[in-house]
Amino acid sequence: ALLLATATAIVSPLTQQPVQAQMRFNFTAPIITDSGILGTHHFIRVAVTGMALQDLMIALPEQMERYDKISVTNQAGKEIPAEIKASKDRVAIIFTNPVPADSYVEVKFNNVRMTRSGGEYLFYLVTGKRSGIQGEIPIGTAQVRIPSRDGG
């Protein structure tokens, strides 16, 4: 006895699923999330991640002649108590209480006066000290573009 078997295969085209690129960042140190200019004020926003932040050090651009004052606020716009020490080329912000992780710090230089007319970039080098770690750690470089007088 001979047994014959037949098989039928149904082939359907594969439907292509859209490819989704996913990037995941897991920051464990403070980072600069924003910086810029609002009128005559320059601001730098830092996300505090990983551990609490004890202080910030900011190297000022050489084009900055002066500013009236510095304000330091959290993400709700409330002032963060801190001692601010300033020299011609550097600002130290020592927080009364460490700024907790998972929060933001915004440093605003009020009524900044510059030596140049505009159309250039200023760079603020930012470092910090985290609770429980000795020495300063680099946070990043905040870039502020000064608009030119002709609007460009």
Side-chain angles (χ1 to χ4, degrees), residues 78-105:
K78 293 184 180 178
E79 185 177 339
I80 299 174
E83 177 184 0
I84 299 173
K85 298 179 181 179
S87 68
K88 182 182 181 324
D89 59 348
R90 192 167 171 99
V91 171
I93 302 168
I94 300 100
F95 300 109
T96 304
N97 296 307
V99 177
D102 301 323
S103 60
Y104 286 83
V105 172

Side-chain angles (χ1 to χ4, degrees), residues 68-132:
D68 288 345
K69 73 174 200 166
I70 296 173
S71 58
V72 182
T73 56
N74 63 18
Q75 62 267 29
K78 293 184 180 178
E79 185 177 339
I80 299 174
E83 177 184 0
I84 299 173
K85 298 179 181 179
S87 68
K88 182 182 181 324
D89 59 348
R90 192 167 171 99
V91 171
I93 302 168
I94 300 100
F95 300 109
T96 304
N97 296 307
V99 177
D102 301 323
S103 60
Y104 286 83
V105 172
E106 183 171 289
V107 177
K108 186 185 294 180
F109 295 86
N110 297 295
N111 298 315
V112 173
R113 285 177 248 353
M114 307 300 300
T115 58
R116 306 264 167 87
S117 60
E120 62 186 301
Y121 291 92
L122 304 178
F123 300 99
Y124 293 84
L125 302 174
V126 182
T127 61
K129 185 173 181 187
R130 291 169 50 180
S131 295

Side-chain angles (χ1 to χ4, degrees), residues 32-37 42-45 61 120-126 140-146:
I32 296 169
T33 59
D34 198 6
S35 61
I37 186 169
H42 297 190
F43 71 91
I44 301 168
R45 190 170 301 128
E120 62 186 301
Y121 291 92
L122 304 178
F123 300 99
Y124 293 84
L125 302 174
V126 182
T141 302
Q143 178 178 299
V144 174
R145 183 179 183 277
I146 305 301

